[in-house]
């Protein structure tokens, strides 16, 4: 062989990595792949070939590849000569650590001396959900098409009774993304303090996925995204502006592992989904509606009010988020007793510490459903997110508190993910809990160690309902609170109704309206109270999530019980219109026409459009040319050249000073080249 022997990498379609836009070889573990060794002379039968692998940032882990068929747990290779080439077929174990390997081939003399060696070549080894022996094996091609190979998806937002979907560009096969994913692992505290042990642990998807949930948020380490929920985003990008994960990952990497500002739960889950799919772990984003954040671990959400029905919850208070996003990844749990394999919940949003670090999971979804709250990791926390009771207390001046209402059906509704069969919602609530109120659900509830608390006294005679028509951002609308008396006698009561601008995770941005009324409700009749919410009141304080929370508290005169009802009114948003003109062919220019009409009765300033799409264009920003008056339309256009064929989605976001998070999407099928001209002969 020549001194500087070349190895030509044979990248196989069989490894399902041909979409990854990198120069290097990408292969999946437990599946053979080939290298071609080019020789200037024919190899003598007396000479032997040997192969050495190095893994780790400094190549600290060395693997000798055996030159004969070995068991499943060993690296081995076989060789076939063909003229001036030798084809080397390498077999990796299905439990080898994932990472960037470098391979060197040695030419040995009959007595074992090194005569020549090739310059090292590198390849990435990924998890392999197509391989039966891999602990992420998922035996369903349709699921793998979605949970590994689909670069576009939907994240669900809104509220349980008004669900909205947000298109998201995962882009796990975009250029450099695989390098950035391993760069994130290399920057974890474990990798920086003990790289050899960390490298060995990367064989285990439980370890890798837990590391990723810690590293997607920047709370303890050199993590990717900094979370912020207070509406002050001037020194970064508002969380609502992102349309996908790739610009976030590139920004983090290009700045030398500097945190990217800012994210909220759907951003954290979108970025985690990209990384885990890229590494080869089947992953899907999940949204839980009316999601509990239990800060004290008592598996309840406690709302505290004083005798005037003013909220007195302070500090780190329990909350119910309108929705909360996390991801699920598919893997075996060899670290747990039998029966906990399959979907594992992983939550990269920093909420509570787990083993001292802001991460959560992997937690077997089955453990949550069955109330096995001692199961690692973080089963009690996830259990309360989907299953906590809402308990209302009145706190008296001496600090004593009395429980005045209990709601067991509020938390954990319509748990959602995108269907593998198209752009519609699949409800997976049944994976997390038995039907509310069923015997099985009550058994699980007690097994989880929860006090089954009941409110004092018999059920009250007064019931509360809150109704509203579809509310549109920028308009005035009515909310109707109905008090029904189901008893046999007229009943006096005190009603307090408040409306607040809130974020999706229950932070108050300002009170819009408050109304108190003393009323007597006749037996078997209803009293209606109308609250008119005007844009001039809510417009100045409404959050970027466009949510108004109406809370009604009813106290029966002379009785300890309080009836609490709460609704989250999602103000509906206008749409962006996106139209793509031209033939969608790789490397051929297309024009996107984007238009938006201001729905508000005020002028919008500082408008900016953000556009991106996997295989279409990297993220770009276009400033709106002018201020946009009430009812005025703004139009911009953008040219781009698709880089990859297939079904592609162009995501567009519009943000301005008084309206954020307006989304639009265009779907197109990109071909590799024009079909040949068709000529008709006679």
């Amino acid at each position: 062989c020549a001194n500087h022997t070349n190895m030509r990498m044979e990248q196989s379609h069989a490894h399902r990595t041909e979409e990854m836009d990198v120069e290097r070889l990408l292969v999946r573990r437990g599946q053979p792949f080939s290298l071609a060794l080019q020789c200037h002379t024919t190899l003598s039968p007396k000479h032997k070939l040997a192969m050495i692998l190095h893994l780790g940032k400094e190549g600290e882990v060395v693997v000798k590849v055996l030159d004969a068929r070995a068991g499943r747990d060993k690296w081995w290779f076989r060789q076939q000569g063909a003229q001036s080439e030798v084809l080397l077929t390498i077999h990796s174990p299905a439990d080898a650590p994932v990472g960037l390997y470098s391979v060197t081939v040695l030419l040995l003399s009959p007595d074992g001396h090194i005569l020549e060696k090739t310059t090292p070549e590198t390849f990435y080894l990924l998890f392999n959900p197509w391989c039966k022996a891999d602990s992420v094996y998922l035996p369903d091609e349709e699921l793998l098409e979605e949970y590994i190979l689909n670069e576009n998806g939907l994240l669900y937002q809104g509220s349980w009774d008004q669900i909205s979907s947000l298109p998201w560009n995962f882009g796990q096969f975009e250029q450099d993304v695989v390098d950035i994913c391993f760069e994130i692992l290399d920057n974890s505290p474990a990798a920086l303090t003990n790289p050899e042990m960390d490298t060995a642990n990367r064989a285990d998807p439980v370890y890798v996925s837990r590391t990723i949930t810690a590293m997607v948020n920047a709370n303890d380490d050199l993590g990717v995204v900094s979370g912020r929920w207070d509406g002050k985003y001037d020194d970064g990008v508002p969380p609502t502006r992102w349309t996908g994960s790739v610009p976030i990952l590139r920004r983090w990497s290009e700045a030398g592992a500097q945190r990217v500002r800012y994210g909220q739960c759907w951003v954290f889950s979108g970025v985690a989904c990209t990384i885990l799919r890229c590494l080869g772990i089947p992953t899907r984003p999940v949204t839980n509606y009316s999601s509990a954040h239990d800060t004290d671990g008592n598996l309840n959400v406690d709302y505290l009010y004083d005798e005037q029905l003013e909220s007195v919850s302070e500090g780190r208070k329990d909350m119910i988020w309108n929705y909360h996003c996390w991801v699920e990844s598919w893997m075996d749990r060899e670290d747990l007793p039998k029966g906990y394999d399959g979907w594992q919940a992983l939550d990269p949003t920093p909420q509570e510490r787990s083993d001292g670090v802001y991460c959560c999971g992997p937690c077997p979804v089955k453990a949550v459903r069955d109330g096995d709250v001692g199961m690692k990791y973080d089963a009690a926390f996830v259990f309360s997110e989907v299953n906590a009771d809402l308990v209302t207390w009145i706190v008296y001046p001496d600090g004593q508190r009395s429980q005045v209402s209990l709601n067991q059906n509020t938390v954990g509704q319509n748990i959602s993910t995108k269907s593998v069969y198209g752009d519609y919602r699949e409800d997976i609530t049944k994976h997390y809990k038995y039907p509310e109120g069923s015997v099985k659900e009550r058994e699980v509830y007690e097994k989880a160690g929860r006090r089954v608390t009941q409110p004092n006294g018999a059920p009250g005679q007064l019931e509360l309902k809150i109704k509203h028509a579809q509310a549109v951002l920028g308009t005035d609308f009515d909310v109707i609170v109905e008090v029904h008396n189901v008893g046999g006698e007229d009943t006096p009561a005190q009603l307090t109704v408040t409306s607040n601008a809130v974020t999706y995770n229950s932070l108050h941005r300002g009170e819009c309206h408050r109304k108190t009324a003393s009323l007597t409700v006749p037996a078997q009749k209803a009293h209606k109270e109308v609250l008119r919410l005007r844009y001039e009141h809510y417009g100045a304080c409404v959050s970027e999530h466009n949510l108004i929370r109406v809370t009604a508290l009813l106290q029966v005169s002379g009785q300890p019980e309080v009836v609490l009802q709460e609704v989250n009114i999602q103000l509906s948003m206008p749409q962006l219109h996106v139209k793509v003109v031209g033939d969608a062919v790789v490397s051929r220019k297309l024009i996107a026409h984007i238009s938006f009409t201001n729905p508000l009765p005020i002028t919008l300033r500082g408008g900016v459009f953000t556009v991106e799409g996997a295989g279409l264009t990297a993220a770009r920003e276009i400033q709106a040319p002018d201020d946009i008056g009430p009812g005025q339309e703004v139009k911009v256009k953008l040219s781009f050249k698709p880089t990859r064929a297939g079904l592609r989605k162009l995501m567009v976001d519009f943000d301005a000073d008084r309206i954020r998070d307006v989304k639009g999407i265009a779907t197109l099928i990109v071909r590799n080249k024009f079909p040949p001209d068709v000529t008709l002969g006679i």
Side-chain angles (χ1 to χ4, degrees), residues 27-238:
V27 293
R28 299 191 184 277
R29 63 187 194 174
Q31 195 171 328
F33 62 99
S34 301
L35 307 177
L37 188 68
Q38 294 176 338
C39 306
H40 287 286
T41 55
T42 309
L43 284 181
S44 157
K46 295 177 188 170
H47 291 147
K48 278 183 73 176
L49 292 178
M51 192 179 289
I52 303 289
L53 300 177
H54 289 266
L55 172 65
K57 224 172 177 180
E58 308 296 325
E60 52 266 25
V61 178
V62 181
V63 182
K64 189 173 186 324
V65 185
L66 306 175
D67 61 349
R69 189 181 179 90
R72 274 184 166 176
D73 59 340
K74 297 277 191 294
W75 286 86
W76 61 278
F77 76 97
R78 60 190 163 86
Q79 63 189 73
Q80 289 169 287
Q83 294 169 325
S84 62
E85 285 193 338
V86 179
L87 189 68
L88 305 171
T89 303
I90 302 168
H91 294 256
S92 62
D95 63 351
V98 297
L100 182 62
Y101 285 75
S102 92
V103 54
T104 308
V105 179
L106 311 175
L107 180 65
L108 304 178
S109 65
D111 58 355
H113 283 93
I114 298 173
L115 301 175
E116 266 191 68
K117 63 179 179 179
T118 62
T119 50
E121 294 280 354
T122 58
F123 66 90
Y124 275 120
L125 189 72
L126 305 175
F127 290 104
N128 192 351
W130 284 271
C131 169
K132 269 193 175 130
D134 196 311
S135 51
V136 300
Y137 175 60
L138 179 56
D140 187 319
E141 193 62 44
E142 279 183 310
L143 299 190
L144 289 168
E145 195 67 40
E146 179 72 32
Y147 300 143
I148 291 286
L149 300 177
N150 195 351
E151 290 185 274
N152 296 301
L154 297 174
L155 308 179
Y156 288 96
Q157 297 181 319
S159 52
W160 71 270
D161 56 348
Q162 200 179 328
I163 292 170
S164 59
S165 62
L166 170 73
W168 191 262
N169 178 26
F170 296 114
Q172 64 270 29
F173 301 138
E174 289 284 83
Q175 194 160 4
D176 310 325
V177 168
V178 67
D179 304 88
I180 297 168
C181 292
F182 283 107
E183 191 186 340
I184 290 165
L185 287 172
D186 290 341
N187 275 284
S188 75
L192 296 172
T193 51
N194 191 338
E196 208 164 326
M197 187 191 285
D198 174 70
T199 299
N201 282 334
R202 290 188 196 175
D204 179 10
V206 173
Y207 176 85
V208 170
S209 63
R210 186 159 169 80
T211 303
I212 293 302
T213 69
M215 287 298 293
V216 165
N217 71 70
N219 281 45
D220 309 282
D221 41 45
L222 297 170
V224 181
V225 181
S226 183
R228 190 158 192 166
W229 284 266
D230 62 2
K232 300 185 176 98
Y233 311 122
D234 290 350
D235 57 344
V237 176

Side-chain angles (χ1 to χ4, degrees), residues 11 19 231 327 505 628:
Q11 177 163 211
E19 277 277 337
V327 296
N505 62 331
I628 311 159

Side-chain angles (χ1 to χ4, degrees), residues 387-409:
N387 240 332
D389 281 355
L390 169 58
V391 186
T392 309
W393 305 83
I394 295 285
V395 181
Y396 299 102
D398 62 0
Q400 291 289 312
R401 56 163 81 173
S402 125
Q403 181 191 319
V404 290
S405 81
L406 170 73
N407 190 327
Q408 295 170 330
N409 306 327

